[in-house]
Amino acid sequence: MPPFTRFRQLPVRDKAKARRVAARAVAWGTTAVSAALVLGALLLPNRLALVTPGAFAHIPVEAVVGAAVLLMLPRRPRRVAAVLVGVFLGLLTVLNLLDIGFNEFLGRGFNVVLDWILLDDAQSYLEDSLGSATATAAAIGAGVLVLVLLALMALACLRLGEVMARNSAVATRTVLVLGTAWVVCATFGVQVAGLPVASRSTTQRVEDRVQRVKATLRDEREFAKVAAVDTFGDTPGDRLLTGLRGKDVIFTFIESYGRSAIEDPLIAPGVDALLDEKTKELRAAGYSAKSGWLTSATYGGSSWLGHSTFLSGLWIDNQNRYRTVTAGDHLSLTRAFQRTGAWRTVGIMPGVTKNWPEARFYGLDHVYDSRNLGYRGPKFSWSTMPDQYALTAFERLEHGRRHDKPLMSEIILTSSHQPWAPIPRMIGWDEVGDGSVYDGIKKAGKDPKDVFTDSTQVRTEYGRSIQYSLTSLIDYVVRYGDKNTVLVFLGDHQPLARVSGDHASRDVPVAIVAHDPAVLKRISGWGWQDGLRPGRDTPVWRMDTFRDRFLTAYGPGDGAGPYAEKCPPKSTGKTPPKTAAKTAAKTATKTPPKLAPKSLAKPAAKTAPKPPAKPAAKSSSEPVPKSSGTARQP
């Protein structure tokens, strides 16, 4: 017999009793849920790996103090205080959830001053990866969740305040017992699951957020002063990049190409074998290569921060720094080529989908973005087009044409962008056409939802995407390069922690490829590894030191100037001479390096080598950071 039918058949007295029992059960249940919500908000860790049952087996001092305050307040102030505390706990929970998401994807917590803009990028990323319907549902769900959390926390605190007021004697004794237990546990350092039973994590997190806000605002003021100081800012064009005159120089960023691709046991075998194979192919075509490591300013995403750090010589690790430097006149590496007047400078930016005013800062005479590269094929999740197509378009639009000057190009390859499915495959270069051929290739690829939710498969597919990007780039150089081609390529950052691991470094591979032996001879003192694959003991430099090292190496003379002597590379394995180690340590802590080669401070027409009388017939490419107006990766 159904329960409601049995209830209707009970006598009136039994019905009343049943209602009282049910009401008490609901009251106790509501109180228990309220207490669980409050304790959960106070004890919720801000990293997913720490969210375990043991994380909630603690006594939060904030709960003890809050209960004591509510007990002492009269009815109306108590209710107001309870609601305010509840809203605060709701906001705290939202920020903790954002911290969890940012730590999983970007390897850092959420910055309440700078990171709100990235939520829009996350929405765009979901739309590109999982479809507009899923992205819209996720956005609506997130908004509803925030409102529900705020309301539930306020009601929970209000409920607990009323219960304590009605049972003040019991509540007072309970608070005293819990307070005493907290003091005893704090005094003797009692722990559960490696964490102290006497918790004050909420207070610590609030203090940490306040300090981070202060540091962000302080950094905003101080960085503008740092960016105004430029080692090469006043160097005339005829004293810049004299060692590369007549060369087609291509700077290329490979999305998410990090150290894990070369050293992770699951990913590395395929990538390493490919790098070794491509090194042999380059050698057979007359090219040589040297490679090293750079420590990126970002991790897991925000590629434009890595791009701007590499090209500006400044440590750009947040959006405010990016806005400051790109709005100013600090000399970017790419603009140095423009300043010489000896190169045509272009950007190939398939990831840029809107207007990109930063092109002026990067000194690009012309930018080709996703709207004018002529692509008529399908998107591959976030990536607007396959890397092989982007390089083919570069050859058609710029590199394969004759110019009055050689090319300096910045190319940003996007096929290795998460969620790493579906992945394009290499086809004949003559088959690429307008990209329509990729329709069938995309349909035959894997579903991003299936890949991204599988911790093993996502690492495997990440490795395959890196192999595709590397193959596209090196095959392009072998096929279309010539004796004047110089390629500089690197990763912008490591992939997210789901792929690279919770404690991965921020190191990315970097390599220089050239046909002319004189090009690599100028960096012979860098200690880089021969070939495309840097070794474990190959020097590691901060990414912001590269610009000055590069401009010094390829400036007047043989490149072994004062900056090269004062800023030796920092090795991860072999111990350098003591003097070099001390200098490297000092350099690593400064942003940006301020050791200017005195010989470059003023023009010296007598000693500056003359550019060749005839420019090279072909050109090259280089990468550009993403715009504040473009679709960014989360």
Side-chain angles (χ1 to χ4, degrees):
M1 183 183 297
F4 290 111
T5 302
R6 288 200 303 268
F7 179 77
R8 284 197 299 269
Q9 294 177 353
L10 288 174
V12 175
R13 184 179 299 175
D14 291 341
K15 285 182 181 180
K17 183 178 180 182
R19 289 193 185 95
R20 287 195 298 272
V21 171
R24 280 198 298 271
V26 170
W28 279 103
T30 303
T31 303
V33 170
S34 299
L37 283 172
V38 170
L39 290 174
L42 291 171
L43 296 172
L44 178 68
N46 61 356
R47 289 180 178 273
L48 188 60
L50 300 178
V51 181
T52 62
F56 300 94
H58 305 282
I59 305 173
V61 68
E62 298 85 4
V64 176
V65 173
V69 170
L70 290 179
L71 278 171
M72 292 186 294
L73 291 175
R75 184 174 183 275
R76 181 168 293 180
R78 181 182 67 246
R79 294 172 67 88
V80 172
V83 170
L84 293 176
V85 169
V87 171
F88 171 77
L89 289 179
L91 292 172
L92 184 68
T93 303
V94 170
L95 291 177
N96 280 342
L97 292 174
L98 287 171
D99 269 348
I100 289 174
F102 270 65
N103 279 313
E104 283 294 300
F105 280 85
L106 302 181
R108 63 174 177 82
F110 179 77
N111 188 311
V112 297
V113 178
L114 301 175
D115 286 341
W116 297 104
I117 189 174
L118 297 182
L119 299 182
D120 179 60
D121 295 329
Q123 165 77 5
S124 299
Y125 167 70
L126 284 176
E127 185 173 341
D128 292 331
S129 302
L130 305 178
S132 57
T134 302
T136 301
I140 294 173
V144 170
L145 176 62
V146 170
L147 294 176
V148 168
L149 273 174
L150 294 177
L152 284 179
M153 287 298 178
L155 291 172
C157 289
L158 192 61
R159 171 69 182 178
L160 293 176
E162 294 300 310
V163 169
M164 288 191 297
R166 290 198 302 268
N167 305 275
S168 58
V170 174
T172 300
R173 287 195 295 270
T174 302
V175 169
L176 287 173
V177 169
L178 289 175
T180 302
W182 190 93
V183 171
V184 171
C185 291
T187 302
F188 293 99
V190 180
Q191 294 188 344
V192 170
L195 295 173
V197 172
S199 167
R200 55 184 301 269
S201 58
T202 299
T203 302
Q204 291 171 337
R205 278 200 292 270
V206 171
E207 291 173 351
D208 177 62
R209 289 190 189 282
V210 171
Q211 291 304 317
R212 277 192 283 169
V213 169
K214 290 181 178 179
T216 299
L217 298 177
R218 184 169 59 249
D219 179 76
E220 186 174 351
R221 295 189 299 268
E222 294 176 353
F223 181 72
K225 299 176 183 177
V226 173
V229 178
D230 191 347
T231 302
F232 288 88
D234 296 326
T235 305
D238 62 357
R239 301 285 291 167
L240 288 169
L241 300 159
T242 55
L244 289 173
R245 298 300 167 98
K247 304 296 183 187
D248 287 336
V249 184
I250 306 173
F251 290 96
T252 303
F253 289 100
I254 296 179
E255 171 64 38
S256 300
Y257 179 34
R259 188 162 190 150
S260 298
I262 293 178
E263 295 185 350
D264 182 274
L266 181 63
I267 305 166
V271 174
D272 289 352
L274 179 75
L275 289 171
D276 293 341
E277 175 190 338
K278 294 304 175 184
T279 297
K280 293 177 183 177
E281 290 182 14
L282 285 169
R283 191 178 297 122
Y287 292 90
S288 299
K290 285 186 175 294
S291 55
W293 302 106
L294 298 176
T295 301
S296 178
T298 185
Y299 170 91
S302 301
S303 300
W304 59 95
L305 302 182
H307 303 166
S308 56
T309 294
F310 177 80
L311 295 172
S312 71
L314 296 169
W315 191 252
I316 314 296
D317 60 352
N318 62 55
Q319 187 63 20
N320 182 67
R321 286 189 168 209
Y322 178 76
R323 286 194 298 262
T324 298
V325 72
T326 54
D329 294 320
H330 196 89
L331 184 69
S332 64
L333 181 55
T334 43
R335 190 148 59 94
F337 282 84
Q338 187 187 57
R339 178 181 289 185
T340 67
W343 278 273
R344 170 172 166 79
T345 60
V346 299
I348 305 296
M349 310 291 166
V352 173
T353 59
K354 302 176 182 177
N355 292 336
W356 194 62
E358 289 93 324
R360 185 202 65 81
F361 169 77
Y362 289 108
L364 299 175
D365 297 329
H366 189 81
V367 173
Y368 298 91
D369 60 29
S370 61
R371 299 167 297 177
N372 53 23
L373 283 168
Y375 185 62
R376 298 293 180 267
K379 292 181 67 175
F380 283 74
S381 294
W382 187 91
S383 179
T384 59
M385 64 191 69
D387 292 344
Q388 188 181 11
Y389 178 87
L391 292 166
T392 303
F394 169 58
E395 181 66 19
R396 182 183 74 251
L397 296 168
E398 286 287 348
H399 188 259
R401 295 185 172 186
R402 287 194 170 273
H403 299 91
D404 295 333
K405 304 174 182 179
L407 277 181
M408 189 291 307
S409 313
E410 179 182 0
I411 302 177
I412 298 179
L413 300 181
T414 61
S415 289
S416 52
H417 194 289
Q418 61 189 21
W420 305 298
I423 301 171
R425 60 174 174 83
M426 292 297 295
I427 58 177
W429 289 90
D430 296 330
E431 300 173 25
V432 172
D434 65 359
S436 302
V437 68
Y438 289 105
D439 285 326
I441 295 175
K442 179 184 178 180
K443 290 176 182 176
K446 296 186 177 182
D447 190 318
K449 294 189 289 294
D450 297 336
V451 169
F452 203 67
T453 54
D454 186 319
S455 58
T456 299
Q457 191 173 181
V458 72
R459 292 167 66 199
T460 301
E461 295 306 303
Y462 161 75
R464 289 185 60 237
S465 73
I466 293 296
Q467 292 177 56
Y468 169 77
S469 293
L470 288 168
T471 300
S472 299
L473 180 61
I474 302 305
D475 284 5
Y476 171 83
V477 171
V478 171
R479 181 180 178 90
Y480 295 109
D482 61 21
K483 64 181 181 179
N484 288 316
T485 298
V486 176
L487 169 67
V488 182
F489 74 93
L490 68 154
D492 45 22
H493 55 72
Q494 283 265 54
L496 52 78
R498 187 177 183 79
V499 173
S500 60
D502 292 330
H503 304 290
S505 72
R506 293 192 172 202
D507 298 344
V508 298
V510 58
I512 299 180
V513 178
H515 198 285
D516 184 352
V519 173
L520 294 186
K521 183 179 178 182
R522 282 179 169 259
I523 64 168
S524 58
W526 285 9
W528 281 17
Q529 179 81 23
D530 289 335
L532 298 177
R533 177 159 62 104
R536 289 183 178 273
D537 294 334
T538 303
V540 180
W541 302 339
R542 277 184 23 154
M543 191 177 275
D544 58 339
T545 66
F546 184 86
R547 185 204 71 159
D548 284 17
R549 293 181 190 277
F550 188 88
L551 291 176
T552 298
Y554 294 103
D558 60 3
Y563 188 87
E565 295 169 4
K566 294 179 181 179
C567 298
K570 179 185 70 175
S571 172
T572 55
K574 299 175 184 178
T575 306
K578 291 183 180 178
T579 54
K582 289 180 181 177
T583 310
K586 291 178 181 178
T587 306
T589 58
K590 294 184 179 180
T591 306
K594 299 178 182 177
L595 301 172
K598 294 180 181 177
S599 61
L600 300 185
K602 297 178 181 178
K606 293 182 180 179
T607 59
K610 295 180 180 179
K614 220 174 184 182
K618 289 187 180 178
S619 61
S620 40
S621 56
E622 64 177 29
V624 179
K626 297 179 184 175
S627 149
S628 53
T630 68
R632 301 195 189 96
Q633 63 185 355

